[in-house]
Amino acid sequence: MSRRRRAALVTLISAQFVVMLDTAVVNVALPSIQHDLGLTQTGVAWVVNSYFLAFGGFLLLSGRASDLFGNRRMFMAGAALFTATTLMAGFAPTEAVLILARSLQGLGAAVLSPAAMSIILLQFPGDERARAMGAWGAASAAGGAVGVSVGGLITAAAGWQWVFFLTVPVTLLAFVCAPLLVVGPSGPRVRRSFDLRGAISVTGGALALIYATLSIADQGWFSVQAVGGALAGIGLIVGFVVIERHAVDPIIPLTLFRERTVSAGVVVGLLGGAARVSTFFLSALYLQQVLELEPGTAGMAMLPTSIAGFLVSLLLLPRIIRTLGAARTLTLGLLLLACGHLWLSRTPPGAGYGLDVFPGLLLAAAGVALSFTPSTMVIASGVPSTMPGLASGLSNASSQIGAAVGIAAFSAAAALSAREAGAARIADVPALAAGFHAAFIAAGLVAALGALVALCFLRPAAAGLRQAVRPEPLSDSTTRKVNVP
């Protein structure tokens, strides 16, 4: 890999590191933010949820936009928006401004992440792709790890504003370096129509479904928000399918889903996303509420496993993919993730970190590392190479929507089991342990189901890297006209 290509890869994965960092870092700072800005309980929830809502809701649209308008252009736009709105969040004087900033930050992440991944899919073929995607997965794991581990330390040392300010130089540098490292297209650009009705319907449907899922935790399964959002989301998705059947240049060509690799890959992405994100979400709460560790101590307790996930992604993942192929690597990762959740579900009386938590976290961390990146590669293998943005958008969207549904469903399972066990207050540790037992069991079964779907419906050669693929020059977008299936 040339020096320029390595520099381009570092720029791309640095941006992904920041995107994943901001999905986790704010959680630890919430008590300080609530105290300083006087947040309501609804405001506290939406400081987190607004980011997930915009991030997950706009991924499909922004991924396809990268193919239509150029991935370098979209990458720079996403980096600029993310930088500006991160500063806006850090300087936010009120609850409303902070929630607005987090929403726009999520939109910036939705533009930035698929564009970066589409450049990697397009420009790093063959064995280079395994190494590049391994680095991408490692950056994602490191972002989540740093967010969980040091968010509390940064807040205590410098104030909650700095959990935002510290990421600004990274995205600003990505914006500045993109024109120097990723060459724009040569030759005339092809003018293409934009499917506005399809874009509105698919984005509105995704937003409504994610909103309905996020409302379950606060309002309940049968609340107006949850039921109304679900019905609106289903209606918009049905409308989207009707629109796409007749669109000249659709946002998502429906014929793609006739390819089993794509359809099964999206299903596995939803299941895997639910199990992966819940690993760190449930574990962080378990350490604090059942083992009764302080937030800073709980963050440090998760650091070794986060480092393990980073190392597996960087060092082992490329070799395993070259040996087994992406589909079988994905299956292996989901099986390890299921084993990790099932180990954590033991929650015996007097549970300790060393025996009852640490081994499960190690298994789960390895499972996350071995399933995250191959999920993208499997879906990309079924999408035409001229649409890398759509491939990354489908992969990211399935993972993020699955994560939102998983957190809501597993949290509900934990709360229901805790109530049945008699948890009348937060200090009722045995009942809370029973709730986490149910949540970890549910997450483990979802991961196992994802592994079963991958084993049965994904071909072993899916997204394999054995075939030689001619490298393409670093470019903003394809410049030749293609026939969209």
Side-chain angles (χ1 to χ4, degrees), residues 65-90:
S66 292
D67 296 329
L68 296 176
F69 305 123
N71 19 34
R72 186 183 71 172
R73 183 179 289 111
M74 294 298 290
F75 178 81
M76 293 179 66
L81 179 59
F82 197 92
T83 302
T85 54
T86 299
L87 287 170
M88 180 181 174

Side-chain angles (χ1 to χ4, degrees), residues 281-283 285-287 289-290 344-345 347 414 417-418 431-441:
F281 175 78
L282 293 173
S283 299
L285 292 177
Y286 178 74
L287 290 171
Q289 295 181 4
V290 176
L344 292 169
S345 72
T347 60
S417 296
L432 289 173
F436 281 105
H437 169 78
F440 282 125
I441 286 285

Side-chain angles (χ1 to χ4, degrees), residues 59-445:
L59 277 168
L60 283 173
L61 174 59
S62 59
R64 188 69 176 112
S66 292
D67 296 329
L68 296 176
F69 305 123
N71 19 34
R72 186 183 71 172
R73 183 179 289 111
M74 294 298 290
F75 178 81
M76 293 179 66
L81 179 59
F82 197 92
T83 302
T85 54
T86 299
L87 287 170
M88 180 181 174
F91 286 115
T94 65
E95 173 182 307
V97 174
L98 180 59
I99 292 174
L100 175 61
R102 288 287 287 169
S103 300
L104 294 174
Q105 196 182 27
L107 176 59
V111 176
L112 181 63
S113 185
M117 187 185 292
S118 69
I119 294 172
I120 290 177
L121 291 174
L122 188 64
Q123 308 304 336
F124 295 90
D127 287 345
E128 279 191 357
R129 180 176 293 181
R131 293 194 295 271
M133 292 301 289
W136 176 273
S140 300
V146 171
V148 171
S149 303
V150 308
L153 299 177
I154 293 173
T155 301
W160 62 265
Q161 293 87 349
W162 282 92
V163 302
F164 296 109
F165 294 154
L166 285 177
T167 65
V168 169
V170 179
T171 49
L172 184 60
L173 186 63
F175 175 82
V176 172
C177 291
L180 305 177
L181 299 174
V182 182
V183 179
S186 59
R189 292 186 60 85
V190 177
R191 299 188 62 181
R192 302 182 64 170
S193 61
F194 183 68
D195 180 16
L196 181 61
R197 293 191 303 160
I200 292 173
S201 58
V202 72
T203 303
L207 287 170
L209 290 174
I210 295 172
Y211 173 77
T213 302
L214 294 173
S215 298
I216 292 172
D218 294 328
Q219 308 296 330
W221 288 90
F222 301 105
S223 63
V224 173
Q225 293 89 337
V227 175
L231 292 176
I234 292 171
L236 285 167
I237 294 299
V238 171
F240 167 74
V241 172
V242 174
I243 292 169
E244 296 302 274
R245 289 173 64 89
H246 302 93
V248 175
D249 196 1
I251 290 289
I252 303 176
L254 298 181
T255 51
L256 285 179
F257 293 100
R258 296 176 186 171
E259 171 59 46
R260 190 171 64 180
T261 299
V262 176
S263 55
V266 168
V267 173
V268 174
L270 289 167
L271 297 171
R276 281 191 295 269
V277 171
S278 63
T279 300
F280 301 104
F281 175 78
L282 293 173
S283 299
L285 292 177
Y286 178 74
L287 290 171
Q288 295 178 65
Q289 295 181 4
V290 176
L291 298 190
E292 299 181 303
L293 300 181
E294 292 296 324
T297 306
M300 296 308 294
M302 297 185 68
L303 184 59
T305 56
S306 301
I307 293 174
F310 173 81
L311 293 176
V312 169
S313 295
L314 192 62
L315 302 178
L316 297 182
L317 178 63
R319 299 178 182 181
I320 295 174
I321 289 177
R322 284 196 295 270
T323 302
L324 301 181
R328 290 297 175 255
T329 303
L330 172 57
T331 304
L332 174 62
L334 290 174
L335 286 174
L336 289 174
L337 185 56
C339 291
H341 278 292
L342 294 177
W343 183 282
L344 292 169
S345 72
R346 295 165 60 245
T347 60
Y353 174 76
L355 177 62
D356 301 306
V357 177
F358 185 67
L361 284 178
L362 279 180
L363 286 169
V368 169
L370 293 178
S371 64
F372 176 72
T373 298
S375 181
T376 299
M377 299 175 73
V378 164
I379 293 175
S381 71
V383 177
S385 60
T386 52
M387 294 188 283
L390 177 58
S392 62
L394 280 172
S395 173
N396 276 302
S398 61
S399 181
Q400 289 297 319
I401 293 172
V405 174
I407 288 175
F410 302 146
S411 298
L416 180 60
S417 296
R419 280 198 298 269
E420 290 178 351
R425 57 189 185 281
I426 193 67
D428 194 342
V429 173
L432 289 173
F436 281 105
H437 169 78
F440 282 125
I441 286 285
L445 292 177

